[in-house]
Amino acid sequence: MSVQPKLVVVGSIGIDTIETPHEKQLDILGGSASYACAASSFFCRTGMVGVVGSDFPDVHRQSWRAMDIDLDGLQTVAGETFRWHGVYEAHMDNRSTISTELGVFADFSPILPEVYRDAPYLFLGNIEPALQLRVLEQMHHPKFVLVDTMDLWINIARESLLRVIGKVTMLTLNESEARLLTGDHTLLAAAKQLLKMGPEYVLIKKGESGSMLFTQTQIFMLHAYPLEHFKDPTGAGDTFAGGFIGKLAELDECTPSAIRRAMAYGSVVASFGVEEFSLRRLAHIDMKDIEQRYAAFVEMSRIS
Amino acid sequence: MSVQPKLVVVGSIGIDTIETPHEKQLDILGGSASYACAASSFFCRTGMVGVVGSDFPDVHRQSWRAMDIDLDGLQTVAGETFRWHGVYEAHMDNRSTISTELGVFADFSPILPEVYRDAPYLFLGNIEPALQLRVLEQMHHPKFVLVDTMDLWINIARESLLRVIGKVTMLTLNESEARLLTGDHTLLAAAKQLLKMGPEYVLIKKGESGSMLFTQTQIFMLHAYPLEHFKDPTGAGDTFAGGFIGKLAELDECTPSAIRRAMAYGSVVASFGVEEFSLRRLAHIDMKDIEQRYAAFVEMSRIS
């Protein structure tokens, strides 16, 4: 019997090969939907929408199920799972893509299970805007829709991206993408342009420097939770966004205060995520770990 | 009759030529001491220690006096004032030095007026560590000593820099300098090394991403006050540091809470400073402007 998820997440699911200055990991679970669902599942029942090939290892499905992620929206089709191979530079501030193999992702057409369509929260993870639009059209009346994107879509699918942005509650992107999309350099000037495109909230991600939230009347600035060491920043933005919207769905009130707290929870979950490759660290923490780091984080951010 | 300043600031005083993508300003007042004293003077009586040449325009001395900066520690000697010519790249994230002419700064030997030596607060702005040390040795028993430095001294005067760092209450530097000095990449790992060098507090500046304060037991993270437009980032770090220690001297309690509030005031003053070249904006604001922006800043940084 299907239980309605409180949050639906669509995004990529991939098998990644990742090289950092310290080690190389072959064929590990990745993708925006994978990271976002792992993060949101700490806070609310999450339904995953995505596609994998017939080669997809069942052990990954089992990891997701262990996190209580609903997989009714996950399609398995003949062919190969999306693959990405990336290499990080010396301090992991930058990375280059060695190869991308779309596999079954090339013909992906998301179809939402009936029970997903009434979910109140929706996260359109970073995939082609036309697919994000197709998911959005299948939803009945979501209360809060978050969309993420990337430079690729700004460059090659700007028009459909703007259509999506015009229909969502919150847009998130990183600082260079905010500049690319608007042509403005300061984040405040860029955010003003982005707010004009339709969303009520603009959330600009600044990597290890945190994030900034903009509305027509408010600004909220959050640092990233500081870490002494980390292993792999892949998926940090997806984990942050997933943790954010998962916590917001749990709080189920879209007030400025709830949004601020949810952002801090997202940052905390992301800080755990980067301590290991793939979902390995997220699979081994519990709410006690999260609450402990959240309390420390609030203390570190308090001016007076 | 001399009044004892609450804060003594030593640093460079220069005549700058600055090119941004939008305009070029010739022969404007700059230098670390100039920016820091302008900022601190909003909060407490500040004595400036530095040197200028016989070519130094009297109008600049008048600007400082209008800010109530004590100039008894300012030496005027035969020769030319220190000059710097810099050019900012497209988005003012980076700059290159076109020329530096030391002038009278080459033979500068700071001598503190008697009345300065009992000041409780001291800011050793960014100059050669041997000079910072000479100032420190003339002070009787300062309560709080802040030192700033730069990559140049880390590279060519590491040993005397470490001697200074071992004698101060707080070290401030920017993130790339923290990495250069310690060899650690994450700021938390770098800060742990820096704390071992002696200071009770390490304050790492991250430009438009704010700053982070570290002690043996605490971390505090502050964003920069967000601006839609700015004209010239020159001196922002000195303005931040000067505003910080000026406010701390005013509060006159070196508690974690006072230090956090003082950092936020420093950031607010720096946000005004970059809105115009040189000290032009700082010369035209008052405490009401500062308090207004400070209140907004606290609100923007509050998680819940």
Side-chain angles (χ1 to χ4, degrees), chain B residues 182-226:
Chain B
T182 61
D184 281 307
H185 188 70
T186 69
L187 300 183
L188 183 48
K192 285 192 176 181
Q193 290 301 316
L194 297 170
L195 286 168
K196 283 185 194 154
M197 296 175 187
E200 191 178 340
Y201 302 92
V202 168
L203 175 54
I204 300 181
K205 294 175 284 186
K206 294 158 59 78
E208 62 169 349
S209 290
S211 56
M212 293 177 77
L213 176 77
F214 299 88
T215 72
Q216 295 290 354
T217 57
Q218 280 206 12
I219 298 174
F220 171 55
M221 304 179 295
L222 186 74
H223 272 264
Y225 186 89

Side-chain angles (χ1 to χ4, degrees), chain A residues 16-292:
Chain A
D16 293 345
T17 291
I18 295 172
E19 296 176 61
T20 72
H22 311 291
E23 58 188 306
K24 179 174 181 171
Q25 292 274 336
L26 294 166
D27 299 336
I28 58 175
L29 178 60
S32 58
S34 182
Y35 282 107
C37 288
S40 66
S41 68
F42 286 104
F43 307 105
C44 72
R45 177 127 184 116
T46 305
M48 182 190 281
V49 175
V51 66
V52 295
S54 39
D55 62 343
F56 191 70
D58 202 53
V59 65
H60 296 330
R61 278 190 200 84
Q62 284 162 28
S63 315
W64 289 330
R65 282 202 193 96
M67 293 173 173
D68 223 17
I69 297 168
D70 186 305
L71 301 181
D72 287 356
L74 177 67
Q75 300 171 30
T76 305
V77 304
E80 294 196 333
T81 303
F82 173 74
R83 284 179 170 270
W84 177 72
H85 180 178
V87 178
Y88 284 90
E89 284 169 22
H91 298 301
M92 298 196 256
D93 297 329
N94 290 299
R95 71 181 182 201
S96 333
T97 291
I98 301 293
S99 64
T100 303
E101 295 164 43
L102 285 180
V104 296
F105 208 71
D107 299 312
F108 177 45
S109 180
I111 297 163
L112 271 58
E114 263 310 316
V115 73
Y116 280 28
R117 301 183 186 208
D118 285 314
Y121 292 82
L122 174 65
F123 176 29
L124 302 169
N126 171 30
I127 53 171
E128 197 191 328
L131 297 183
Q132 294 177 323
L133 217 47
R134 213 166 300 159
V135 170
L136 192 52
E137 283 161 359
Q138 293 173 56
M139 295 292 287
H140 291 153
H141 34 64
K143 194 164 154 179
F144 193 101
V145 181
L146 169 65
V147 68
D148 191 9
T149 193
M150 73 187 290
D151 48 1
L152 177 68
W153 313 123
I154 297 171
N155 287 321
I156 72 169
R158 194 187 178 92
E159 234 176 277
S160 50
L161 176 61
L162 291 178
R163 260 207 309 282
V164 180
I165 293 173
K167 292 172 190 290
V168 302
T169 326
M170 182 186 282
L171 164 67
T172 186
L173 28 55
N174 69 37
E175 51 186 333
S176 63
E177 291 157 355
R179 288 171 180 142
L180 178 65
L181 187 51
T182 62
D184 281 308
H185 188 71
T186 70
L187 299 184
L188 182 49
K192 285 194 176 180
Q193 290 301 316
L194 296 170
L195 286 168
K196 283 186 193 152
M197 296 174 186
E200 192 178 338
Y201 302 91
V202 169
L203 175 54
I204 299 182
K205 294 174 285 186
K206 294 160 60 77
E208 62 169 348
S209 291
S211 56
M212 294 179 75
L213 176 77
F214 299 87
T215 71
Q216 295 290 354
T217 57
Q218 281 205 8
I219 298 176
F220 171 55
M221 304 179 295
L222 187 73
H223 272 266
Y225 185 91
L227 292 174
E228 190 166 350
H229 302 291
F230 61 93
K231 277 201 176 164
D232 174 21
T234 309
D238 304 308
T239 309
F240 168 64
F244 160 72
I245 195 162
K247 182 67 191 181
L248 194 69
E250 185 200 66
L251 294 169
D252 203 15
E253 39 160 334
C254 303
T255 59
S257 154
I259 285 172
R260 287 171 178 223
R261 277 179 289 153
M263 279 172 62
Y265 274 97
S267 179
V268 163
V269 177
S271 75
F272 284 110
V274 299
E275 289 180 332
E276 293 289 346
F277 285 84
S278 190
L279 307 184
R280 287 171 201 165
R281 184 81 170 110
L282 297 181
H284 290 95
I285 57 166
D286 58 25
M287 278 309 299
K288 212 180 112 199
D289 300 310
I290 292 173
E291 293 296 356
Q292 204 164 27

